[in-house]
Amino acid sequence: MTKQEIQDEIASLKSDYIRIQSDLEKLDAAGGNVENAEKQLARMEDELKDLKKQLAQAEN
């Protein structure tokens, strides 16, 4: 992946993360099941960490 592709993927993930976090807050307020959303956020956090490592390597 090129540096630009990695940056684009990071931006996309951040956008999705914010959307899911908002949905999670709404679910929690309504007393809904938040377990799946929490798992999805955790998975996205791991993916962001990996992408940031890739970006750091691409910049060197």
Side-chain angles (χ1 to χ4, degrees):
M1 236 190 296
T2 68
K3 181 179 173 182
Q4 185 61 47
E5 290 172 332
I6 295 169
Q7 290 172 330
D8 292 345
E9 185 68 23
I10 289 171
S12 176
L13 268 174
K14 284 181 178 181
S15 176
D16 289 344
Y17 187 93
I18 291 168
R19 180 185 51 80
I20 293 168
Q21 192 173 38
S22 175
D23 291 347
L24 177 114
E25 290 171 2
K26 291 175 189 173
L27 274 173
D28 190 38
N33 183 358
V34 297
E35 185 176 337
N36 287 337
E38 288 174 340
K39 287 180 182 179
Q40 195 171 10
L41 288 176
R43 188 176 65 246
M44 292 174 89
E45 289 170 1
D46 290 339
E47 192 172 344
L48 278 169
K49 287 178 190 176
D50 291 340
L51 286 169
K52 287 181 179 183
K53 287 179 186 177
Q54 289 179 30
L55 183 59
Q57 290 173 351
E59 290 177 342
N60 290 335

